[in-house]
Amino acid sequence: MSTHMSAARAVGEENVQPPATLTLHRASADPWALAIHGGAGGRILELGEQADYASGLREAHAAGEAVLSGGGSALEACCAAVQSLEENPLFNAGRGAALAKDGRAELDASVMDGASGLAGAVLASQHAKSPVRAARAVMEHTDHVMIVDPPAELVREWSLEVADPEWFVTERRLAQLRRLLDKSESGPRHGTVGAVAFDANGHLAAATSTGGISAQDVGRIGDTPVIGAGTYARDGLAALSCTGEGEAFLRGVEAYDVAARMRYAGCDLPSAVAATIEETLTEKGSSGGLIAVVPTGEMVIAHNSPMMFSAYRDGAEVRVHL
């Protein structure tokens, strides 16, 4: 079932699209739910690109579902799905991520476990092959929530795979960076990947990973690794992962704002999401979207950008939106 909310408004010379909120009721007997996203933006895909992106989303969703169907945790399902997207150079995370002005990939990721309330994040990571796994390691193997660019030695201590910084850089992203720096290209430069899940034991989790904005200043950090802004999960309430213009999500504390509307104001998930996007994004002239799941298995995918890559199960079918 779907509901579409809010109205389009003009911002400068651009038309920010209305947030399209899609509410999904689990139509199968599965006691779990999973939704993933591959970023929000406005670029129109060619036909061949559509097939490639759709395939990548389906593979990532299948990786997460395999965990859930085997009785695994929501946290592991989210990490498996996000890691799959990190390894696919089409998406802005891991290998093939957006590059900073100096030509390097500075990778951000975070996870939050709704059961324990614990969270972990890495910022401007350059050595962990899977930033989302490194974020989970921060949560599970340290007393911290955030670590900036964990060194290769620490990544190895966490028993995670290390990659040379050059491994993350692709010719496609280098070409994009050159066009941006010489002013021959403009338009959306951001993107993020993420997952939210509800497992058979009744637990929620969320994970998010990104390369940030193409041609961003060195050291810039967006919302992705900031708990409550780009990622949030709390058992009995909701799990959320965001994508879009990171500064707006930081200012609006987007993920937690949705959860707070539900927890303190008694809003249901669709109305909380619609109100948050309207007030913290659309009214501010910013764009992006989010995915969310609640303990009933109900999921929402919402955005006010022209498009948002996502995948979710609807009964017997896995649906992909580009």
Side-chain angles (χ1 to χ4, degrees):
M1 181 175 73
S2 65
T3 56
H4 297 271
M5 303 180 185
S6 187
R9 63 183 63 232
V11 179
E13 295 184 358
E14 288 186 297
N15 285 324
V16 176
Q17 299 297 313
T21 303
L22 180 61
T23 305
L24 308 166
H25 295 281
R26 190 173 62 237
S28 70
D30 296 325
W32 42 261
L34 171 73
I36 68 170
H37 71 78
R43 189 167 74 88
I44 304 300
L45 298 178
E46 300 294 335
L47 194 59
E49 286 184 307
Q50 291 180 21
D52 291 340
Y53 277 93
S55 176
L57 289 166
R58 289 185 185 279
E59 288 178 8
H61 191 271
E65 271 204 338
V67 174
L68 293 171
S69 63
S73 70
L75 179 62
E76 176 57 26
C78 288
C79 289
V82 169
Q83 183 177 4
S84 177
L85 293 168
E86 289 176 338
E87 293 172 352
N88 187 326
L90 289 175
F91 297 93
N92 182 12
R95 179 167 169 76
L99 303 177
K101 284 181 178 178
D102 64 356
R104 295 182 300 159
E106 295 186 330
L107 307 170
D108 303 331
S110 66
V111 301
M112 188 165 186
D113 178 32
S116 65
L118 297 177
V122 291
L123 295 74
S125 177
Q126 298 185 71
H127 303 286
K129 188 173 184 180
S130 172
V132 75
R133 294 290 181 183
R136 182 174 178 176
V138 172
M139 182 185 79
E140 295 180 337
H141 300 306
T142 79
D143 295 326
H144 314 307
V145 173
M146 296 180 175
I147 292 183
V148 178
D149 190 19
E153 295 77 13
L154 181 57
V155 175
R156 292 191 182 96
E157 284 183 22
W158 293 335
S159 299
L160 297 178
E161 193 169 356
V162 170
D164 291 332
E166 293 78 15
W167 181 82
F168 300 102
V169 179
T170 63
E171 183 54 43
R172 171 173 162 265
R173 287 296 189 179
L174 280 171
Q176 179 191 38
L177 179 63
R178 295 187 197 105
R179 294 193 300 270
L180 289 167
L181 293 178
D182 67 17
K183 311 298 184 183
S184 64
E185 179 177 305
S186 61
R189 299 176 290 144
H190 55 74
T192 307
V193 306
V196 294
F198 172 67
D199 65 32
N201 293 315
H203 301 309
L204 293 163
T208 315
S209 182
T210 190
I213 300 175
S214 296
Q216 68 185 16
D217 289 332
V218 175
R220 177 263 181 189
I221 301 296
D223 65 302
T224 291
V226 179
I227 303 305
T231 306
Y232 188 75
R234 183 185 180 96
D235 270 12
L237 190 63
L240 304 101
S241 174
C242 302
T243 175
E245 298 176 22
E247 282 70 16
F249 284 79
L250 281 166
R251 296 183 188 108
V253 200
E254 194 85 1
Y256 186 72
D257 192 71
V258 173
R261 290 175 190 271
M262 296 173 65
R263 186 179 183 190
Y264 301 118
C267 295
D268 61 17
L269 179 62
S271 60
V273 168
T276 292
I277 289 181
E278 178 69 15
E279 293 178 18
T280 65
L281 293 183
T282 306
E283 290 183 0
K284 305 298 184 183
S286 299
S287 68
L290 61 84
I291 57 175
V293 64
V294 294
T296 61
E298 180 184 60
M299 295 176 285
V300 162
I301 298 169
H303 58 98
N304 72 342
S305 53
M307 50 70 63
M308 179 169 167
F309 298 157
S310 60
Y312 56 91
R313 177 168 294 284
D314 184 11
E317 182 181 359
V318 174
R319 297 188 183 275
V320 171
H321 285 285
L322 299 175

